[in-house]
Amino acid sequence: AQSVSQHNHHVILSEAASLELGCNYSYGGTVNLFWYVQYPGQHLQLLLKYFSGDPLVKGIKGFEAEFIKSKFSFNLRKPSVQWSDTAEYFCAVNENNAGNMLTFGGGTRLMVKP
Amino acid sequence: EAQVTQNPRYLITVTGKKLTVTCSQNMNHEYMSWYRQDPGLGLRQIYYSMNVEVTDKGDVPEGYKVSRKEKRNFPLILESPSPNQTSLYFCASSLLGGGRNTEAFFGQGTRLTVV
């Protein structure tokens, strides 16, 4: 079965610091990859997604992620975080032969200090 | 506006008292699913449905039921809630077929407390 690991459970940064959140998955075949963000008290919103093509994908609010197939990774990055980026971030993976099923990582809580 | 709507947003109930959480989407999506979110565990799928009258178990189905009588609605039923079902629940929908269709749209969440 697919598993998704987010190794950083809690991250605290100061504004303007750079961010990188790790995401690793276990399935070795073709995958579709997502990062979702959950602001306090709100539902999950899509930050970015990767299906094919350029492994460096850009999302909303200045976020980007890089798919490295050899490392089974899809790390999320932002060069300079803002206080408003305080949220929980979830990586999710869909195996190409598993229909619509999404497997989520455990989430990373990011706190950005003003 | 395209959306997934869940009700209620907050619910406190007692052990054993049947409850239903409703979910409705207006995007004509075939695929709908329910997740529970628990600290450190991320989102785990409870049940999913690929179309009307087609439902199947996800990773954590015990203690839950669902139905899909209409394409837009996918209620989650707890016949006899227990305290270990205290959690944050999300409904999601997407087009069917994998690949680009797997982008899921989520409801606002229902915070359930069972005492």
Side-chain angles (χ1 to χ4, degrees), chain B residues 86-97:
Chain B
T86 292
S87 187
L88 179 58
Y89 292 85
F90 287 100
C91 180
S93 74
S94 61
L95 292 168
L96 192 65

Side-chain angles (χ1 to χ4, degrees), chain B residues 9 12 14 17 22 25 33 39 54 58 61 64-65 68 70-71 83 87-88 91-92 94 96 99 109 114:
Chain B
R9 294 286 310 277
I12 301 174
V14 296
K17 185 176 181 182
T22 63
Q25 51 93 6
S33 55
V54 181
Y64 304 95
K65 284 175 55 178
R68 188 92 180 272
E70 303 163 288
K71 196 173 186 179
S87 187
L88 179 58
C91 180
S94 61
L96 192 65
V114 183

Side-chain angles (χ1 to χ4, degrees), chain A residues 8-13 18-21 87 108-112:
Chain A
N8 311 104
H9 298 296
H10 292 90
V11 174
I12 302 174
L13 295 173
S18 64
L19 170 72
E20 180 160 2
L21 302 182
T108 298
R109 279 191 189 273
L110 171 66
M111 180 183 292
V112 180

